[in-house]
Amino acid sequence: MTEARKLYIKTYGCQMNVYDSERMAEALGASGYTVTDTPEQADMILLNTCHIREKAAEKVYSELGRLKPLKTANPDLKIGVAGCVAQAEGEEIMRRQPLVDLVVGPQTYHRLPAMEQAVRAGERAVDTDFPEEDKFEHLPKGPRMKRSPAAFLTVQEGCDKFCAFCVVPYTRGAEVSRPVARVLREARDLVDRGVREITLLGQNVNAYHGEGEGGTWGLARLIRELARIEGLERIRFTTSHPNDMEDDLIAAHGDEPKLMPYLHLPVQSGSDRILKAMNRKHTAEQYLCLIDRLRAARPDLLLSGDFIVGFPGETDQDFEATLALVRAVGYGQAFSFKYSARPGTPAAEREGVPEDVASDRLQRLQALLSQQQRDVQRSMIGREVSVLFEKPGRLPGQMVGKSEYLHAVHVTDPRVETGQIARVRITEAAPNSLGGVLVA
Ligand code: SAH
Ligand code: SF4
Ligand code: F3S
């Protein structure tokens, strides 16, 4: 029998890492680990890392430095690095940080239990392969984790788009879709455990093309099949590329009631010149047309996006085009970043925009995006939304959940329970959350 050991996982980066961390915890659960929230109590600490921007990657090394005293206090403590930094830097991490025992890339988590054994036996273990097999299928099933009523489900991994700035095709590998039957099985299992909302995940989720009955299924067909699961009330998906937004997926936003009216559709820039240099393979006009078609299918669709400013070669005029696109779309939420040169990507070879110029642009873009977000939040006052309540809020008696538009909504009412979906009238709006009362 293995004794009960404690596992502490810290997760950085995107939702796919969040999902993977849960799978790793379950896999190590089969080796006798239970999850702890306190690193001081852990027998194993895993950092599930992100390589997307320089700052994200550097965080790992500073976090490892902070773990040193724990390792000194407990020589039996094992420290592992997983995720995209592990994939990108592999052995280099071992060299830079002797206290690391284990490095595992995103595609080999199913080998983690064997690696854990090796590490317990005093070895250092590195595995950054891209194996053929589906890691999720080969993960040992430990005790299931407690579920929030809203869950992630990874259906697609990797990316073949090779945007000039992006590390994902290198850290996550080529685009792979999980077969339909496995996705459906996992979804039913989640619903059996009380899940009412599923967000389908993929670096390029709308490029999903899984093997299903009768051939290859696209994302829209998968969503329609998932919608037939009784007890599953809400479906979302993220992240999408504009070029994979096919007709049936646009239509599903209009006629599939379980598909929520929120879409994260990154565009990165509003300048055709920069879009071309980024290898995005579409123009600003094509993106705006797509938005029109989506809104024709679902007029209340709330849009979110990602933007990069200061991409090599970006002029004032290019940046103005980004502002113009943002004004034309009107986002309910958005993420914007200063371009960060990533080793190994084509854009890293090009000359960047001066730091102060990039900072200034980021500030201006963020001011516009937060203004739009505030306007959208305020426009919700007096409206009725449906809220899936997920957990207690910060204030006593308060419960928080998400509206169909993904707004965080809080309500203080003793009738509200976790997992309940209720109609709420919005009475107050803050930049990042809404407050309301139950509609009796
Ligand atoms: N697959 C998704 C998102 C990938 S990463 C997509 O295609 O949209 C999330 C966001 O990080 C990107 O949309 C982009 O805005 C940002 N990002 C990626 N690489 C970056 C870099 N080198 N510098 C700054 N931001 C970057
Ligand atoms: Fe990166 Fe582009 Fe792929 Fe998104 S589509 S993951 S930005 S390469
Ligand atoms: Fe980061 Fe890897 Fe996700 S680089 S954003 S954790 S795919």
Side-chain angles (χ1 to χ4, degrees):
M1 271 302 287
T2 35
E3 59 205 280
R5 294 184 195 273
K6 295 246 184 301
L7 170 69
Y8 175 81
I9 305 190
K10 184 160 181 174
T11 308
Y12 302 83
C14 62
Q15 290 112 322
M16 306 202 55
N17 265 7
V18 174
Y19 179 85
D20 285 348
S21 287
E22 289 178 1
R23 302 288 79 70
M24 286 193 275
E26 286 179 356
L28 286 173
S31 313
Y33 280 85
T34 56
V35 171
T36 173
D37 295 332
T38 25
E40 288 78 12
Q41 290 183 352
D43 302 286
M44 160 96 81
I45 294 180
L46 276 180
L47 305 182
N48 193 7
T49 62
C50 174
H51 201 246
I52 202 81
R53 284 169 291 275
E54 193 180 349
K55 269 195 194 137
E58 276 308 313
K59 267 189 203 153
V60 181
Y61 290 100
S62 41
E63 182 65 25
L64 285 171
R66 279 196 293 275
L67 293 179
K68 203 167 183 170
L70 294 186
K71 186 109 175 178
T72 317
N74 172 15
D76 283 340
L77 170 66
K78 302 298 177 191
I79 294 179
V81 179
C84 292
V85 177
Q87 189 63 46
E89 303 191 357
E91 301 272 356
E92 171 68 18
I93 300 174
M94 290 285 197
R95 270 194 295 276
R96 257 181 88 171
Q97 254 310 349
L99 60 75
V100 174
D101 300 288
L102 179 161
V103 171
V104 58
Q107 301 313 337
T108 47
Y109 293 152
H110 51 298
R111 299 181 184 161
L112 198 52
M115 294 174 79
E116 188 270 343
Q117 281 200 342
V119 159
R120 284 280 154 223
E123 292 171 34
R124 296 179 93 197
V126 180
D127 192 339
T128 52
D129 278 359
F130 285 111
E132 286 290 308
E133 69 268 17
D134 176 346
K135 68 174 174 190
F136 299 120
E137 270 310 290
H138 291 81
L139 276 173
K141 297 258 184 291
R144 299 294 182 54
M145 295 189 56
K146 220 176 111 235
R147 278 289 165 194
S148 137
F152 292 138
L153 200 176
T154 294
V155 300
Q156 179 275 332
E157 275 216 81
C159 182
D160 295 338
K161 294 275 191 292
F162 291 92
C163 298
F165 50 82
C166 183
V167 293
V168 170
Y170 312 97
T171 61
R172 294 274 171 168
E175 215 176 278
V176 181
S177 296
R178 297 177 69 195
V180 172
R182 289 182 195 165
V183 173
L184 292 175
R185 195 174 62 207
E186 189 167 330
R188 287 194 198 99
D189 181 62
L190 288 170
V191 172
D192 285 346
R193 288 190 281 152
V195 167
R196 307 192 74 189
E197 170 180 311
I198 291 180
T199 302
L200 305 174
L201 298 182
Q203 266 91 18
N204 229 305
V205 73
N206 59 341
Y208 177 84
H209 55 281
E211 281 314 303
E213 234 177 79
T216 305
W217 289 31
L219 188 65
R221 188 163 175 202
L222 181 70
I223 288 170
R224 291 184 195 282
E225 190 63 28
L226 285 164
R228 294 163 52 134
I229 299 177
E230 215 177 307
L232 178 60
E233 306 297 341
R234 297 171 146 200
I235 301 169
R236 307 179 187 276
F237 60 91
T238 198
T239 297
S240 299
H241 191 290
N243 291 359
D244 292 314
M245 205 41 100
E246 287 178 356
D247 294 350
D248 56 350
L249 190 54
I250 296 173
H253 283 89
D255 60 25
E256 179 43 69
K258 290 187 180 179
L259 183 59
M260 293 292 103
Y262 172 95
L263 181 65
H264 183 62
L265 195 61
V267 64
Q268 316 298 354
S269 168
S271 151
D272 289 344
R273 222 174 54 81
I274 294 299
L275 285 168
K276 192 165 194 317
M278 286 176 163
N279 193 31
R280 290 289 291 185
K281 298 199 170 85
H282 62 76
T283 63
E285 185 57 33
Q286 283 165 336
Y287 180 82
L288 291 172
C289 270
L290 181 58
I291 300 291
D292 283 347
R293 292 178 59 209
L294 283 157
R295 282 185 166 149
R298 181 81 202 223
D300 60 341
L301 187 70
L302 192 130
L303 283 154
S304 151
D306 290 341
F307 297 88
I308 295 178
V309 301
F311 186 77
E314 187 186 68
T315 62
D316 283 339
Q317 210 182 345
D318 294 319
F319 176 65
E320 290 301 329
T322 298
L323 295 178
L325 179 140
V326 170
R327 286 190 201 101
V329 172
Y331 289 92
Q333 205 205 334
F335 305 92
S336 46
F337 313 97
K338 222 189 293 184
Y339 167 72
S340 168
R342 307 307 293 127
T345 60
E349 312 291 316
R350 306 176 198 162
E351 198 176 335
V353 163
E355 178 65 25
D356 55 331
V357 174
S359 296
D360 179 62
R361 287 179 189 163
L362 185 64
Q363 223 172 27
R364 286 177 60 200
L365 175 60
Q366 288 185 338
L368 175 61
L369 289 167
S370 3
Q371 183 59 49
Q372 291 193 339
Q373 181 169 339
R374 274 198 302 275
D375 291 347
V376 169
Q377 296 280 108
R378 261 203 297 270
S379 75
M380 296 308 293
I381 294 178
R383 280 181 60 183
E384 264 184 38
V385 294
S386 103
V387 177
L388 169 58
F389 288 96
E390 293 175 22
K391 56 182 183 219
R394 273 186 297 117
L395 301 178
Q398 198 180 57
M399 290 290 287
V400 293
K402 296 278 163 57
S403 76
E404 56 271 63
Y405 308 102
L406 210 63
H407 300 114
V409 180
H410 55 85
V411 169
T412 304
D413 189 312
R415 290 172 295 172
V416 175
E417 285 169 23
T418 302
Q420 182 184 351
I421 297 178
R423 299 293 297 171
V424 171
R425 183 171 316 105
I426 301 303
T427 53
E428 50 178 314
N432 295 308
S433 67
L434 301 172
V437 291
L438 285 193
V439 179

